[in-house]
Every structure is written in C-alpha cells, then in structure tokens.
Amino acid sequence: MNAEGNAKAATVSRFVKRMLAIPLHAAHYLLGKASNYRRSAQLAESATALAIPSQTLRRIRHELAAQLRRDASLPQETASIQPIAAEEQSLVRAIAAETERMNRNNVTRTQAYYELYSRHPELHWALLAHMVSRNGGWNMTDLRGELLPRLLTDDRLRMSFAFLERANSFIFHDAYPQLLLYEASKSHGKSLFHLLPLFRVSAFMSPIWDAFWRDRCSELLTASLIINEQHYIEDRVVRSEPFASMLNSVPYRAQTWLQLNVLAFPYTSSLPHPRLAGRVLEHFANLQERIGIGMQLYAILFGVPDIREGVLKFASSTPHTGSRADYWPQLFAPERPSSPEKPYAEKLNGCSLLPGAARLCSPKLADAWPDTPFDSPPRYDWFDSLTVMEYYDDLTVPHAFEITNEACFALNKIELAVLTDQLL
C-alpha cells in the first residue's frame, strides 16, 4: 500500500475508533453535566437575588405609557427637542466622536465597555456587555480558526463575520453614547438625558435613564438596556437580508446541534481546566430567547459572587484579543491555522489534548479580519407597545450555569463534524 493509501487507512481507523467511542463520550458528557449541576448548585448557595422593586416597575409602566402617548403622532424623525447651549452641542459632538473612535472593531468596543464599567461600577450592563462582546470576538475568530473553515465555504464564513460584526457594532453605536451621557451627567452634577434624542436613542430609554438618575436601580437599567439593544438589532440586523436568510438556512440551523452559540464567562483559571459559566443560545433569530438569555447571564454575573469576582479578575488581567487562547491556553494557540486543504488530525479528548497533539489554532482578531467600515443603522424607533414590560418578570439565576463540560462537548462535536466531513 502506498503512502496515500496508508494515510487514508489511518484516517479511517481513527474515525472508526472515534465513532465506537461515542457511547463512552456520551456517558462522560452526562456525568459531566451532572457534575456541572452540582457545581452550579454549590455556587448558587451564596447567590443574591436580583430584583426590581414592584413600585419601580409600576412607575416605569406609567411613564412609558405616557411616552407612547406623547410620541403617538410625532415620529422620531421630527421629534422636538429644546434648543441646546453651545456647551451641550460640544458635548454631543465629543460623545459622537468618541463612539466612532471606539467602534473600530470588536476589540476596541470590548475594551471600551470594560473601562466604562471600571469608572462607574453601578453600570452593570457595561460589564455584561464587555463579557458578551468577548464572546462575539471569539466567534469571529472561530471563522478563521482551525475547525470551522473546514466545514463552511468562504462565502459562508464572510457572511457570518458580517452578521456578527454588524450586530456588535450596531449595539455599541446605540448603547455607548447613552453610557457616556450618564458619565457626563455625573461629571456635571445634573441630568443630561434630554440629549438622548440627538443620538437617535429609542424613546423607551428616556424614562429609564430618568428613573436611574433618580433611584440608581442598576437592575432596572441593565434589564432595560438588554431589552432595548436586542430590539434595536431585531429588524436592523436579525430580520434584515441577507442575514435573515442565513439564520434560517440549513447550515446555520446545524449550529444548534453543534452548539456554536455558547456564551461563556471564564471565572477561574485553575488548571488543567479553567472553568466557564454561562448559557447556550439555541436560536439567535428568536428575540424572546435572546432577551431571556441576556437576563440569565446578568443574574449569573451579578447574582453569584464567585462568578462576578472570578470574571472581574479575568477581565482585569486578560486583555481581549479575540483568540480563545485568552481563556483556554491549554487548548488554543493564537497562531494562524494551517490551510483547510491540509488533512486535519484528531486532537481532542474532552477538555484535553491527545498525547503529542498540537494546540488548536485560534487567531487574534487583528490577524483574522480587517476592520470593517461602519454602516450607519436605519433610523426609526422600535418602541411602540407596553408588551416589553413582560421581559422584566424574571432575573433569577438559572439552575444550571456552570458550562465547562458543555463547552468542551461542543468543541468535540465540531471536531467530530470536521473528521466526518473529511472522511466523506
């Protein structure tokens, strides 16, 4: 048998062994899942329940209803605003310029969120956005990593990046000026939220920021920003073409099985397996699920002390590069991956590497994708109904949020898909 035949025979042999080992891997997965439940329960023993006072919600409902009545016959494009002083005009220009500067790419956005939270820790959403944005960057570089380019066409990879980049940049474009306006309000010692319409912020957020300035209820502000930002990208990104067709395509739906949408918060660096907390987003196209997952992530991050402390330690000590080597250096290296045309050799055994196997390549964002010119979002206001109040109902910590095993299993499934595709 020639060398090519020997290589193919070896590949088939490894594949057969991998398939025969599936029942064992499944058993290990179930054991790991049970362990994660136990670990989640242990971590949750010291959890603090996040809640928005009922009287605050009643007042917000009343104020949002009044907002809807005021705006019913006055589209946002013609919304009136009192003339502003030269100092305020200068502030608006400065905030717009800073937002544009930091909206350069996922790395700059992610860092901007963290720096703002560091200055104003009452802005819980900024830390949550920092960690979710880290996940966005990791997903972006996966598209130029060692595994996904072997499963998806280059057009599909570029489309997926464009989708992630647009969602990430649009949310930043909308939310960051709001956070900077709060910072300016603190600096000036007075509310400046009458300037929100100049940044095309939804009318939904005006009563929210007024309430936060009055009561400093971080839970209300964070939940509201989760609701606002997911509505903001719903029609501008998720339901817009070509992304709507992509999200409903067979290849993208297959990602549900592969569990590519794992939202992971590294909270301990203890080797050999740094631990992750978070959730799996099954259906990105579902607005209710995105908001629900956002609320759960917030409850995990700020309701479970060990998670918050571990995440803050990670965020302060680990600059975001986009490479998964940021949190799993035992599995990933930030070097450029080999060409997808070269045969892939099996590397993974759960959350460990096989003996002698090189780490998976996970490039830094700067090495994976060039900066993308910002495409201004369409101008309109999504807020037209009080049905949004239903999203405030639940800020409880989910039963299972320790997902180290889940993330490992997802990675192994992607590798198995690559090996299967390569053999076929």
Side-chain angles (χ1 to χ4, degrees):
M1 186 179 293
N2 59 28
E4 183 179 350
N6 287 331
K8 185 172 183 179
T11 299
V12 171
S13 176
R14 288 195 302 269
F15 178 77
V16 171
K17 289 180 180 178
R18 183 73 175 257
M19 296 302 290
L20 290 174
I22 283 179
L24 180 60
H25 289 311
H28 287 163
Y29 169 71
L30 292 175
L31 289 172
K33 199 171 184 68
S35 175
N36 284 352
Y37 269 98
R38 290 194 297 271
R39 188 179 289 269
S40 295
Q42 292 169 356
L43 289 165
E45 287 177 357
S46 59
T48 302
L50 301 182
I52 304 170
S54 57
Q55 63 270 26
T56 298
L57 286 177
R58 285 195 297 270
R59 185 171 182 175
I60 285 298
R61 174 182 282 275
H62 174 77
E63 291 174 353
L64 287 173
Q67 185 76 45
L68 285 172
R69 288 193 297 271
R70 284 194 299 271
D71 295 345
S73 59
L74 190 63
Q76 188 182 30
E77 288 297 325
T78 58
S80 60
I81 183 171
Q82 295 297 322
I84 62 175
E87 181 183 4
E88 291 183 337
Q89 293 175 5
S90 177
L91 174 64
V92 168
R93 288 193 296 270
I95 289 177
E98 180 65 6
T99 301
E100 181 180 0
R101 185 178 75 87
M102 299 307 293
N103 206 357
R104 176 181 165 190
N105 55 47
N106 170 264
V107 170
T108 58
R109 293 172 208 127
T110 305
Q111 184 62 22
Y113 286 138
Y114 179 73
E115 290 175 356
L116 227 159
Y117 174 76
S118 298
R119 297 196 298 268
H120 310 286
E122 67 273 23
L123 294 177
H124 293 181
W125 186 86
L127 180 61
L128 177 65
H130 170 77
M131 294 307 299
V132 172
S133 188
R134 278 187 183 252
N135 279 265
W138 297 329
N139 287 332
M140 289 175 183
T141 59
D142 285 345
L143 299 168
R144 290 297 190 215
E146 190 153 357
L147 296 176
L148 290 187
R150 300 174 184 275
L151 293 174
L152 304 175
T153 65
D154 193 60
D155 284 347
R156 178 68 60 176
L157 295 170
R158 292 180 181 279
M159 178 73 72
S160 297
F161 170 75
F163 172 73
L164 292 168
E165 169 67 15
R166 177 163 292 197
N168 195 242
S169 64
F170 276 20
I171 287 175
F172 187 88
H173 174 79
D174 183 67
Y176 196 60
Q178 298 180 54
L179 304 179
L180 291 181
L181 198 56
Y182 169 72
E183 183 173 57
S185 296
K186 283 184 67 176
S187 177
H188 287 74
K190 63 179 181 179
S191 170
L192 296 171
F193 299 116
H194 61 282
L195 301 176
L196 285 171
L198 293 178
F199 298 101
R200 304 291 175 179
V201 174
S202 170
F204 169 76
M205 289 305 301
S206 290
I208 302 298
W209 279 109
D210 288 340
F212 181 69
W213 184 253
R214 180 178 63 240
D215 304 327
R216 292 300 198 273
C217 180
S218 296
E219 291 84 356
L220 172 68
L221 178 64
T222 307
S224 300
L225 282 167
I226 291 169
I227 293 167
N228 182 67
E229 300 316 322
Q230 292 307 317
H231 276 90
Y232 187 83
I233 64 169
E234 176 68 0
D235 287 329
R236 291 176 172 89
V237 182
V238 179
R239 293 186 179 274
S240 69
E241 292 297 347
F243 305 123
S245 296
M246 181 193 76
L247 291 173
N248 288 306
S249 66
V250 173
Y252 195 89
R253 287 176 181 270
Q255 294 185 13
T256 299
W257 180 78
L258 291 174
Q259 291 187 325
L260 295 182
N261 296 323
V262 177
L263 291 161
F265 295 169
Y267 71 94
T268 172
S269 58
S270 58
L271 296 174
H273 305 309
R275 311 295 305 187
L276 306 174
R279 298 292 286 165
V280 177
L281 178 60
E282 300 281 1
H283 306 101
F284 195 97
N286 188 298
L287 172 64
Q288 289 74 20
E289 182 176 343
R290 294 200 311 275
I291 293 175
I293 290 292
M295 299 294 188
Q296 291 178 12
L297 291 173
Y298 175 41
I300 294 166
L301 183 57
F302 279 87
V304 184
D306 287 346
I307 302 299
R308 181 177 65 254
E309 292 168 11
V311 164
L312 284 171
K313 183 177 180 181
F314 168 78
S316 64
S317 62
T318 311
H320 175 59
T321 70
S323 170
R324 290 192 184 271
D326 290 350
Y327 68 94
W328 266 356
Q330 84 281 10
L331 287 180
F332 294 97
E335 289 79 16
R336 290 178 181 271
S338 58
S339 169
E341 283 74 33
K342 293 184 178 180
Y344 175 80
E346 183 180 4
K347 296 186 176 187
L348 296 171
N349 179 24
C351 261
S352 302
L353 293 171
L354 292 170
R359 290 178 295 171
L360 290 162
C361 295
S362 176
K364 297 179 180 180
L365 183 70
D367 295 329
W369 298 101
D371 291 347
T372 302
F374 183 70
D375 185 13
S376 296
R379 293 180 174 180
Y380 61 87
D381 195 341
W382 63 266
F383 178 55
D384 59 6
S385 169
L386 288 178
T387 56
V388 295
M389 294 302 300
E390 67 189 38
Y391 293 115
Y392 290 102
D393 289 345
D394 194 3
L395 281 175
T396 57
V397 176
H399 293 299
F401 56 84
E402 217 293 342
I403 60 164
T404 307
N405 180 72
E406 205 84 17
C408 291
F409 187 63
L411 185 59
N412 279 257
K413 283 198 293 185
I414 298 169
E415 184 186 61
L416 179 58
V418 169
L419 293 170
T420 302
D421 182 73
Q422 189 168 276
L423 181 65
L424 298 177

